[in-house]
Amino acid sequence: MKRIIISLFLFQFILLSGCSDFLDKLPDDMKTDDMVWSSRTEVEKYLANVYAAIPKHNLHQDDPWLGLSDEIDLSWTVYNTYPINLGNWDPNGGFYNKYALWYRAIRASLVFENNVDKCAQLSEALKTQYKAEVKFLRGYYYWLLLRQYGPVVLIKELYPNDADFASMPREPFDNVVNYIVEMMDAAEKDLPLHWWDDQNQMGKPNKIVCKSVKSIVLTYAASPQWNGNSEYADFKNLDGTLLVNTTYDESKWKRAAEASKEVINISENNPESRLRLYKNSDGGGEPFNPYKSLVDVHLKKWNSEIIFAAAGEGNTQAWMIHTSPGPNNLGGVGPTQRIVDAFLMENGKTIDDPTSGYVASGFSTAPHAKWNPNNRDVSTEEGRKQIIADIRESRAWGHWEGDWNMYANREPRFYAAILYNKRIIPQLPDDKEKRDYYNSPGQKDGFGRAELYYGGVSRQSGSYTFFSRTGYLAQKNNDPLANMRDRVFPQQYNNVLIRYAQILLDYIEALNEYDPGNPDIRKYWDMIRERAGVPSAFATNPEIAGNKDLQRDLILRERQIELCFEGDRYFTSRRRWLAHTPDTGGGNTPDNRKWGDGGRMWGMDINAGDAASNNFSFTGFYEVVPFETRVFEKAYYLFPIPQSEINKSKALVQNPWW
């Protein structure tokens, strides 16, 4: 019932918020105080409204964090990320304009906190809990504002409707950070450690969630964009107040590391919290399988790694429709060559390491060790069914003989994240006819392989022409047990907002900046690598030990791999002040940049050859070519404050370079 109420009010909230600014009242404000605050039902409806502004990841249409990063191309010109990547962006645009919505939610949190004690139908314990929840939400909405718009107007108390909001200036960045931390600290004091004892509360904040948000915010604040960035020296209010401290402070990294370690301490000292990196072997019923663990961590509801999540079955299903290949799916979410090249080899080495065994061209002559772990006879119909079952159950993974060498012997995270040309599509039923539906004549063998080349079946999507412009499709967060031929989904899904792996990565990144020899860097980095099924970075690259710069490069690469397609890359490239790394090359000669959201973006040559004759043996497809030249200006590090807000506030200054 709580989920139903939240869903209904989410719809009502979003519907009404589009035509109102944050000074307007929420729908339930139209009722009298007596009606709202005397009834437990009405109070909990109001609380649901405060929650409703939390964005649910919809990582293709409304959510900009993938389409504007260097890891994904969205092929649809109707999505706003497409023109923005070509430089068509200004403060009058309405793309992902959450500014007023989140201020409305902040105001609602203050209204609730000031009035909930009036409800005699609530126990004192519930009143205390609910007030803690809205403190968390207030801090969380300020965090969402901060990471998108930078320093914002900070409203800490409930003002009357006729207050002079237009005269309120933006607050310095560090002050906003400190207020968010204050809200997280205040909220967690009155919230339980976890919700395992009352699973109806799953999705609400608890101590772990509050401490994790604090960790993430402080990591963001310690990063080069906001810690000693001289390029923000003129970022000031009208009265001359500097909004960003341009003096580097190493202690910010220490503060961030300490916040992350608080979360890690809970994992290590409170087994009842069930907080750890997820492994498929957690229940003891099957042996550890890194590939299955990496697939399931995003799909199994409320597994041990999920810290903060929201119910969002529809969003996950929409993601699968947009990432699964045609004909009857849309298949237009294309990973770039940069993220493909970032993944390690199965021996843990980078592909540019001459000892890694990486081969960029030609067809593989031997399969991956895990391609057929149960030794199925794939030449028989029974064997075909068995190997399909192994693939769908994530028992079998890795390249097959005859796959392009670029995709051979890569780490498990690569196969969990990337659908490449000729790979067997996991998310199809083990029905020969339905799998053959995805292949051209002459290639119908009952396995159902992705045909991403020019003229391939995967590029057909009903009456539309949606296909990947990079020659790859995102596989991560796709349920291999789904039936995408008929769009049947076997389970419910969460939208994962924070998971434990991010906290570990935050911790080792922060430690490296002020104490690069700290043994915890290896300890927790090794945990991530071990779950990923690859050797320690210190075993493959012993020269990095204690070297801040070398460790940083590989830590950020680890983050790029582990958190790919989760929205992190967008913010990491910006907080590390690397998104404007220039493209100094030209033509079709690939560059070696690891960063940069402008310039040429690369993929396979999806337009090569003749549609009538192309097939899996066509090698011209595998040439690395630019599919787009993007525009990235320094202004794009932050979203512009909507011009409508600038126009009605005489104290509000615009973000730099807009």
Side-chain angles (χ1 to χ4, degrees), residues 91-234:
N92 290 301
F95 176 52
Y96 206 69
N97 182 358
K98 304 292 186 180
Y99 190 88
L101 172 65
W102 288 332
Y103 271 112
R104 283 165 48 83
I106 288 166
R107 178 184 181 278
S109 75
L110 291 163
V111 171
F112 186 94
E113 187 176 354
N114 283 11
N115 288 278
V116 66
D117 284 330
K118 298 176 183 177
C119 185
Q121 294 181 5
L122 288 173
S123 67
E124 291 303 312
L126 267 183
K127 290 176 185 176
T128 299
Q129 176 189 321
Y130 288 168
K131 284 189 283 188
E133 289 179 34
V134 294
K135 287 175 183 174
F136 166 83
L137 290 168
R138 184 154 66 250
Y140 192 72
Y141 290 131
Y142 272 121
W143 158 234
L144 297 180
L145 284 164
L146 185 78
R147 72 175 189 173
Q148 184 168 341
Y149 299 105
V152 290
V153 178
L154 191 56
I155 300 173
K156 301 181 181 181
E157 58 186 272
L158 186 63
Y159 291 100
N161 283 348
D162 60 356
D164 187 11
F165 292 96
S167 296
M168 294 183 178
R170 300 173 75 166
E171 193 76 15
F173 178 88
D174 287 342
N175 292 358
V176 181
V177 168
N178 289 335
Y179 183 70
I180 296 169
V181 170
E182 179 186 332
M183 288 298 97
M184 295 301 132
D185 288 344
E188 66 105 350
K189 291 177 182 176
D190 292 320
L191 291 171
L193 181 65
H194 56 79
W195 290 114
W196 292 114
D197 299 328
D198 185 4
Q199 295 188 31
N200 288 327
Q201 305 284 340
M202 289 295 204
K204 285 192 169 188
N206 52 39
K207 289 186 188 298
I208 299 172
V209 175
C210 293
K211 289 178 180 295
S212 296
V213 172
K214 178 179 175 180
S215 159
I216 292 166
V217 172
L218 290 176
T219 302
Y220 182 79
S223 300
Q225 182 181 11
W226 301 108
N227 189 1
N229 188 352
S230 61
E231 297 199 54
Y232 281 154
D234 294 325

Side-chain angles (χ1 to χ4, degrees), residues 39-61:
S39 164
R40 174 173 179 168
T41 299
E42 294 297 329
V43 166
E44 291 180 341
K45 286 180 180 179
Y46 197 104
L47 179 59
N49 263 333
V50 186
Y51 273 96
I54 293 179
K56 310 299 188 294
H57 282 319
N58 187 18
L59 295 175
H60 58 273
Q61 185 172 358

Side-chain angles (χ1 to χ4, degrees), residues 334-354:
T336 64
Q337 193 65 39
R338 185 177 291 172
I339 182 60
V340 168
D341 290 346
F343 286 99
L344 308 172
M345 299 297 287
E346 65 177 343
N347 58 20
K349 298 183 178 183
T350 59
I351 66 169
D352 53 359
D353 185 327

Side-chain angles (χ1 to χ4, degrees), residues 380-426:
T380 67
E381 176 60 14
E382 181 61 26
R384 183 197 66 81
K385 289 183 177 180
Q386 290 174 336
I387 193 67
I388 291 296
D390 285 343
I391 290 171
R392 283 167 59 76
E393 293 284 351
S394 301
R395 293 187 292 264
W397 50 277
H399 76 279
W400 283 38
E401 181 181 346
D403 287 358
W404 195 246
N405 273 322
M406 185 181 290
Y407 317 130
N409 302 314
R410 304 297 289 270
E411 62 163 309
R413 288 179 293 193
F414 171 80
Y415 299 106
I418 305 295
L419 186 70
Y420 56 83
N421 193 53
K422 200 181 179 181
R423 182 180 175 185
I424 294 171
I425 305 164

Side-chain angles (χ1 to χ4, degrees), residues 244-481:
V244 180
N245 189 335
T246 57
T247 302
Y248 176 72
D249 183 356
E250 186 180 83
S251 69
K252 290 183 177 181
W253 285 112
K254 188 173 188 295
R255 188 184 182 198
E258 290 170 347
S260 299
K261 192 60 164 64
E262 286 187 27
V263 182
I264 295 169
N265 288 341
I266 291 173
S267 172
E268 295 180 339
N269 301 323
N270 301 84
E272 73 278 10
S273 70
R274 309 184 195 180
L275 178 63
R276 58 188 177 274
L277 293 177
Y278 172 79
K279 294 182 178 180
N280 70 296
S281 55
D282 282 351
E286 55 185 340
F288 170 58
N289 175 343
Y291 174 76
K292 183 173 177 58
S293 301
L294 294 161
V295 170
D296 286 352
V297 68
H298 301 283
L299 301 172
K300 300 297 184 185
K301 293 190 73 173
W302 304 119
N303 64 67
S304 62
E305 190 162 334
I306 296 175
I307 291 175
F308 191 34
E313 289 82 1
N315 289 332
T316 301
Q317 292 169 6
W319 167 259
M320 286 193 269
I321 291 168
H322 284 74
T323 53
S324 294
N328 67 317
N329 294 300
L330 301 182
V333 182
T336 64
Q337 193 65 39
R338 185 177 291 172
I339 182 60
V340 168
D341 290 346
F343 286 99
L344 308 172
M345 299 297 287
E346 65 177 343
N347 58 20
K349 298 183 178 183
T350 59
I351 66 169
D352 53 359
D353 185 327
T355 67
S356 69
Y358 175 73
V359 179
S361 61
F363 295 105
S364 61
T365 57
H368 188 276
K370 299 292 186 180
W371 80 281
N372 185 7
N374 294 311
N375 297 314
R376 312 295 193 185
D377 183 356
V378 297
S379 66
T380 67
E381 176 60 14
E382 181 61 26
R384 183 197 66 81
K385 289 183 177 180
Q386 290 174 336
I387 193 67
I388 291 296
D390 285 343
I391 290 171
R392 283 167 59 76
E393 293 284 351
S394 301
R395 293 187 292 264
W397 50 277
H399 76 279
W400 283 38
E401 181 181 346
D403 287 358
W404 195 246
N405 273 322
M406 185 181 290
Y407 317 130
N409 302 314
R410 304 297 289 270
E411 62 163 309
R413 288 179 293 193
F414 171 80
Y415 299 106
I418 305 295
L419 186 70
Y420 56 83
N421 193 53
K422 200 181 179 181
R423 182 180 175 185
I424 294 171
I425 305 164
Q427 59 270 24
L428 297 176
D430 56 354
D431 178 286
K432 189 175 188 301
E433 181 178 347
K434 290 183 177 181
R435 284 190 166 266
D436 280 345
Y437 178 72
Y438 287 82
N439 286 127
S440 303
Q443 297 184 161
K444 296 180 183 292
D445 59 3
F447 283 101
R449 293 180 170 88
E451 297 184 357
L452 299 169
Y453 51 79
Y454 185 56
V457 172
S458 296
R459 291 167 58 128
Q460 303 169 16
S461 48
S463 59
Y464 303 97
T465 307
F466 297 143
F467 55 84
S468 168
R469 298 194 302 159
T470 71
Y472 304 100
L473 285 172
Q475 182 62 26
K476 190 174 187 176
N477 209 23
N478 266 291
D479 190 345
L481 293 175

